Amino acid sequence: MTNYHLTHRDTLSDVAEALYRKWRPKTFDEVVGQEHVTTTLKNQVASGRIGHAYLFVGSRGCGKTTSARIFAKEVNIAGLEPDSPRAKQIAEAIAEGRALDVIEIDAASHTGVDDIREIRERVGFQPSELRYKVYIIDEAHMLSTAAFNALLKTLEEPPPHVIFILATTDPQKIPATVLSRCQRFNFRRVPIDKIVARLRQLCEAEGIEADDHALRLIARHAAGSLRDAVSLLDQLASSSTMRISAADVREALGATDAATVRALVDGLIARDTGAGFDAIQNALDQGADARQIARQMVERLRALLQVKVSRAPQQAPALTDSIDGWSEAERIELAAQAEKLSMAQLKHAVHAFSEAINEMRSATDAQLPLEMAYLDCVVEPEGMPAAVPPPTRVAQAGRAASQAPAGPGPAPATTQPAPAPAPPGGELTYEALKAQWQQFIREVNAVNKPAAALLRSCDLYAVAGGVVHLHAHHDIPLIRLQEPKNKTSVVATLNRMFNGQYDIRISLQQRQVDLDAEEDPVLKAAKRMGGMVRR
Ligand SMILES: Nc1ncnc2c1ncn2[C@@H]1O[C@H](COP(=O)(O)OP(=O)(O)O)[C@@H](O)[C@H]1O
Ligand SMILES: [Mg+2]
């Protein structure tokens, strides 16, 4: 029950957007849960020690853009009486996006060097009406390399009247040269209690009636994003004429998450890496939240565990409490799935996804822990001593190869192992690494868990000229392992364990056909040097 009237052109999301815009804080004191940032910024304005480049880092919807605009306003009204007409006029102009000297650039749609060049050209001019010209570059990580370089020139010698505020969800994609010029502020996910309090305040002001439990569910689902919380509340308020209940919230949230969780469990049963990754990606593309999926996954796995335990009465009775809250159809489905998973597999999976939820608290990218938890469950066979190669791996590799779209030809015969003289690049041989492979993964695990999970999903393919070649069976592990933080852990562990200077290269399994056609120069060289090719 909002006080909006839907016209024929409005969609619910337009209305939702309107409400969160309307509730954009106008002062630092209204910004919820970011006191560590707002206090420092307030002090800087008060003391006149204002920097020229700021970086606001944090997940979406936690107040970065809002705080950037407030800062732009504060620096420009500093020294004025806050209630004076001039101060009010400036504040209004900035809040409404009319101030000529506060320039917002969405880097997601202006990634090019031309946009930044234009800034560079204009940066030299005095502000037209305010004291400071403030450039707010949203989604700054989307800028192209050329754009970053152009920006860097400006950041190196910023004119005294210019302030840059870069906002990003993904600081790792920002070059170190730019980072080092910025004062960095980390925005936190807004805690549940603060989200609930804000929603309650908003409900009262807007005349929306909602149960406490419903607000808590909304807050929990929003996973730290006040924008998402307010949007969801508004959608619910627009679509129901009565009091918003917990059941309304559940219903509004349910569909995508449930389908994804079902697909993930099926993927676990089939030990199908690709199916799970695709399910996650599809869900996220549709706007689902990785945290929510992980939580629902834990809930479902626990239910499966309970079904399993109740069928095996000799097991711990403590777990055999009811699985209330599941419909009859769901129970039948649960029973069918539980049948196909072992107790150890389920326990391992509950553990992996719970851990992912923990990791998501500190990670800016929630997708990665979710994917890694899934990977961990698919590739690590239950209860296996880690040193014994899992039997499922052979089947898995075979299946992946036969499914590879680019590889319709018959699987080529395995190259015979031949004695491998030490390649010139170092002492490491395929045999030596293979023998220590599990130990190697354990050591990587000690420094970087996601990297270890990724390694487990790959096959060691060849070692030649100091380069370890791995095969991935899906593009996600391929991409993730090549990310600097993962690759660095793997290479560093390799260098330490085998005492040399090695490198890794990862390719998709599909390319194997080309490799076997002996068109791959690396492989040809590897064979010439006596390297062994294995799969
Ligand atoms: N910390 C916060 N305190 C109060 N409201 C917030 C906060 N974070 C987000 N919001 C709400 O969400 C909307 C979007 O916030 P925004 O600052 O654009 O997020 P970000 O730039 O971090 O993605 C705001 O208009 C406001 O309604
Ligand atoms: Mg923003």
Side-chain angles (χ1 to χ4, degrees):
M1 280 184 309
T2 58
N3 41 14
Y4 294 108
H5 296 284
L6 288 175
T7 69
H8 66 287
R9 296 182 57 195
D10 282 334
T11 64
L12 287 181
S13 63
D14 287 336
V15 176
E17 206 171 282
L19 194 55
Y20 86 66
R21 288 231 179 93
K22 180 173 171 193
W23 280 79
R24 192 187 281 284
K26 300 213 166 47
T27 64
F28 279 137
D29 291 335
E30 281 177 65
V31 177
V32 175
Q34 313 296 357
E35 292 75 10
H36 60 295
V37 173
T38 52
T39 308
T40 312
L41 291 176
K42 269 197 275 189
N43 289 340
Q44 289 196 356
V45 176
S47 64
R49 282 199 304 271
I50 294 162
H52 287 290
Y54 292 85
L55 180 69
F56 289 180
V57 175
S59 57
R60 55 191 289 272
C62 65
K64 301 182 297 297
T65 306
T66 304
S67 300
R69 287 189 191 161
I70 296 172
F71 190 59
K73 178 197 76 178
E74 292 295 333
V75 295
N76 276 309
I77 64 168
L80 297 176
E81 196 56 51
D83 285 332
S84 65
R86 175 76 181 137
K88 280 188 173 161
Q89 186 201 349
I90 292 174
E92 244 168 55
I94 293 177
E96 289 167 15
R98 285 187 285 110
L100 292 177
D101 294 317
V102 177
I103 301 115
E104 279 193 41
I105 298 150
D106 178 13
S109 48
H110 298 85
T111 57
V113 65
D114 290 343
D115 298 296
I116 300 295
R117 282 223 187 94
E118 205 184 312
I119 295 180
R120 265 175 66 195
E121 279 155 19
R122 284 192 303 191
V123 126
F125 298 113
Q126 290 294 318
S128 42
E129 34 181 36
L130 302 177
R131 192 179 328 164
Y132 287 101
K133 235 183 204 178
V134 184
Y135 289 90
I136 301 173
I137 307 184
D138 233 327
E139 308 294 335
H141 60 273
M142 304 284 279
L143 290 176
S144 64
T145 310
F148 271 126
N149 286 337
L151 180 63
L152 196 59
K153 298 232 170 68
T154 316
L155 292 181
E156 273 161 2
E157 285 172 52
H161 59 269
V162 168
I163 299 171
F164 280 95
I165 306 175
L166 279 58
T168 184
T169 48
D170 208 350
Q172 277 143 6
K173 295 206 182 110
I174 301 208
T177 44
V178 172
L179 288 179
S180 69
R181 308 253 158 219
C182 297
Q183 288 186 40
R184 174 170 170 160
F185 288 92
N186 291 324
F187 284 66
R188 300 185 182 132
R189 282 174 210 300
V190 184
I192 289 183
D193 285 341
K194 295 199 171 171
I195 295 185
V196 171
R198 179 80 174 171
L199 293 178
R200 179 53 71 205
Q201 187 189 359
L202 196 151
C203 283
E204 275 159 20
E206 297 285 332
I208 299 169
E209 289 194 51
D211 293 347
D212 278 338
H213 192 41
L215 294 188
R216 283 205 85 75
L217 274 182
I218 293 174
R220 221 188 297 150
H221 178 81
S225 166
L226 248 170
R227 182 205 281 129
D228 289 355
V230 174
S231 293
L232 182 55
L233 175 74
D234 200 14
Q235 269 180 47
L236 284 159
S238 320
S239 61
S240 90
T241 46
M242 295 164 297
R243 216 184 152 82
I244 300 171
S245 70
D248 294 334
V249 182
R250 274 204 209 91
E251 193 181 324
L253 295 176
T256 327
D257 292 348
T260 311
V261 165
R262 203 172 296 130
L264 287 181
V265 174
D266 285 339
L268 285 189
I269 293 170
R271 287 196 181 279
D272 186 339
T273 324
F277 285 147
D278 293 342
I280 292 172
Q281 194 60 55
N282 284 342
L284 299 185
D285 288 348
Q286 286 169 36
D289 176 63
R291 288 175 179 78
Q292 191 60 21
I293 294 172
R295 276 191 290 266
Q296 304 248 337
M297 191 69 186
V298 171
E299 221 167 89
R300 177 143 192 127
L301 290 165
R302 289 196 59 230
L304 285 167
L305 204 52
Q306 286 179 354
V307 169
K308 194 102 195 149
V309 171
S310 65
R311 303 241 160 136
Q314 75 277 13
Q315 298 283 337
L319 269 172
T320 53
D321 51 349
S322 64
I323 46 167
D324 288 343
W326 299 84
S327 71
E328 189 55 35
E330 282 168 328
R331 282 172 202 233
I332 293 170
E333 190 183 62
L334 281 175
Q337 286 186 328
E339 196 112 296
K340 297 181 194 136
L341 288 159
S342 73
M343 193 80 85
Q345 241 174 325
L346 282 169
K347 274 195 220 155
H348 180 83
V350 170
H351 184 75
F353 283 94
S354 308
E355 206 165 287
I357 295 172
N358 276 335
E359 279 167 30
M360 286 170 179
R361 285 188 226 287
S362 54
T364 42
D365 177 6
Q367 182 173 359
L368 180 64
L370 179 62
E371 286 168 355
M372 290 308 110
Y374 179 76
L375 195 52
D376 194 24
C377 298
V378 176
V379 300
E380 190 155 79
E382 74 280 11
M384 278 279 176
V388 178
T392 48
R393 274 301 271 290
V394 178
Q396 199 185 8
R399 183 182 47 73
S402 66
Q403 281 180 352
T414 307
T415 311
Q416 280 302 311
E427 296 298 312
L428 188 60
T429 61
Y430 174 88
E431 298 285 73
L433 182 54
K434 187 77 192 167
Q436 300 258 53
W437 188 242
Q438 296 303 331
Q439 180 60 28
F440 171 61
I441 291 180
R442 275 197 293 277
E443 300 211 2
V444 172
N445 192 57
V447 292
N448 183 337
K449 280 190 170 195
L454 289 164
L455 278 179
R456 279 189 210 104
S457 79
C458 293
D459 289 331
L460 175 58
Y461 183 66
V463 179
V467 177
V468 173
H469 294 263
L470 302 175
H471 268 174
H473 306 297
H474 190 277
D475 52 3
I476 300 256
L478 178 82
I479 293 164
R480 296 295 195 192
L481 258 180
Q482 280 164 341
E483 283 169 5
K485 65 175 189 292
N486 291 327
K487 189 169 174 183
T488 308
S489 308
V490 173
V491 171
T493 308
L494 199 59
N495 289 346
R496 187 170 44 75
M497 253 181 91
F498 297 97
N499 198 21
Q501 290 289 318
Y502 303 107
D503 199 1
I504 57 163
R505 227 151 281 156
I506 311 121
S507 50
L508 265 188
Q509 167 95 11
Q510 282 98 301
R511 283 197 213 144
Q512 193 179 309
V513 175
D514 296 335
L515 291 177
D516 287 324
E518 304 221 16
E519 279 162 11
D520 182 83
V522 174
L523 195 69
K524 269 201 266 184
K527 284 183 179 164
R528 258 205 320 280
M529 285 184 276
M532 275 184 292
V533 179
R534 279 274 188 91
R535 90 196 75 256

